Amino acid sequence: MAVKTKELKLDIERVGTVSAILTQPDKARACYVLAHGAGADMRHAFMAKTAQGLADRGIATFRFNFPYMEEKKGRPDQPAVAHAAIRAAVAEAAKLCPGVSLIAGGKSFGGRMTSQAQSKAPLPDVKGLAFLAFPLHAAKKPSSERAEHLAGIAIPMLFLQGTRDELADLGHLRPVIASLGAKATLHEVEGGDHSFAVLKKSGRTNDEAMSEVLDTLAAWIDGLV
């Protein structure tokens, strides 16, 4: 399958301009607006592997930097700025991939900011939200407060979580998913950490665990579109 990769600039109203990348296979079935985590930008190996893996499965991705990452600042943007970046990315993805179903979400912080944006005002034309390791709480501080806004989201949500993820204790996450009802789906990656890496003693490789993540995500997206 032929895949095109375009380096782009994304204008965020009243904020500035950031870098972006569109990874687009021929005849893409959907486009996933993929926001990065708090500590690594859109070019991180995890992000690149996700984009390429989805392209191999017929799904485009639109990656972008949050302003703080573009400017190489240490602290993540305030939520309002992050939400503005996500809204700009969704609008740009719709222009670049006309007629293609949109999914939004991302890795850790990026996924949480996307869910917050959606809870405040629906992202135009977005069919569902997919979270790659939703950061439910700080490490070793189990809580479900960060999930309270999810109840205000009406579209389908997919949570892909490693069972060793220190930022999402499953004892807290599972009840959250249950409370959201049929609109929320939880897929647990056995032995995976916050980046879905597995221990050698698990009997499988990190690539195999990541393939599980991508296969599950692609199948869920197909179910929506």
Side-chain angles (χ1 to χ4, degrees):
M1 183 181 297
V3 177
K4 296 178 182 178
T5 300
K6 296 179 182 178
E7 298 272 347
L8 303 162
K9 292 294 183 182
L10 176 65
D11 293 324
I12 306 168
E13 188 176 0
R14 294 191 294 275
V15 175
T17 302
V18 297
S19 302
I21 300 174
L22 175 67
T23 304
Q24 188 175 31
D26 288 343
K27 300 179 180 179
R29 302 191 301 279
C31 181
Y32 181 35
V33 180
L34 173 60
H36 63 72
D41 69 7
M42 67 173 183
R43 298 181 189 278
H44 187 268
F46 180 93
M47 300 289 285
K49 185 175 292 187
T50 298
Q52 183 58 55
L54 288 176
D56 292 341
R57 292 162 175 81
I59 296 167
T61 56
F62 184 80
R63 289 177 276 162
F64 61 97
N65 278 338
F66 285 111
Y68 80 95
M69 191 61 75
E70 186 78 6
E71 298 167 9
K72 299 186 181 345
K73 295 181 178 178
R75 291 178 62 85
D77 298 311
Q78 291 296 313
V81 174
H83 299 167
I86 290 162
R87 292 189 184 282
V90 167
E92 188 66 16
K95 293 177 184 176
L96 294 169
C97 302
V100 169
S101 295
L102 294 179
I103 309 299
K107 176 72 167 74
S108 193
F109 168 82
R112 185 163 71 96
M113 290 299 103
T114 302
S115 66
Q116 287 182 0
Q118 175 70 25
S119 72
K120 290 182 177 298
L123 297 164
D125 299 320
V126 168
K127 305 294 186 186
L129 303 181
F131 309 117
L132 304 175
F134 189 89
L136 186 63
H137 52 73
K140 299 180 181 180
K141 295 182 179 180
S143 168
S144 58
E145 290 180 7
R146 289 183 180 177
E148 290 176 356
H149 67 282
L150 297 174
I153 295 175
I155 59 177
M157 292 173 277
L158 172 66
F159 295 78
L160 289 150
Q161 302 286 157
T163 60
R164 292 192 303 118
D165 190 340
E166 294 186 350
L167 304 188
D169 179 87
L170 290 174
H172 285 74
L173 182 60
R174 287 172 182 144
V176 167
I177 303 299
S179 72
L180 295 172
K183 65 185 177 183
T185 300
L186 172 63
H187 180 88
E188 299 177 16
V189 179
E190 184 60 39
D193 65 9
H194 194 56
S195 293
F196 305 111
V198 294
L199 299 173
K200 288 184 179 180
K201 66 181 182 181
S202 70
R204 62 174 177 165
T205 66
N206 291 341
D207 284 344
E208 288 171 337
M210 196 63 192
S211 289
E212 176 187 341
V213 169
L214 295 171
D215 286 343
T216 302
L217 176 54
W220 181 82
I221 290 173
D222 284 345
L224 296 183
V225 304

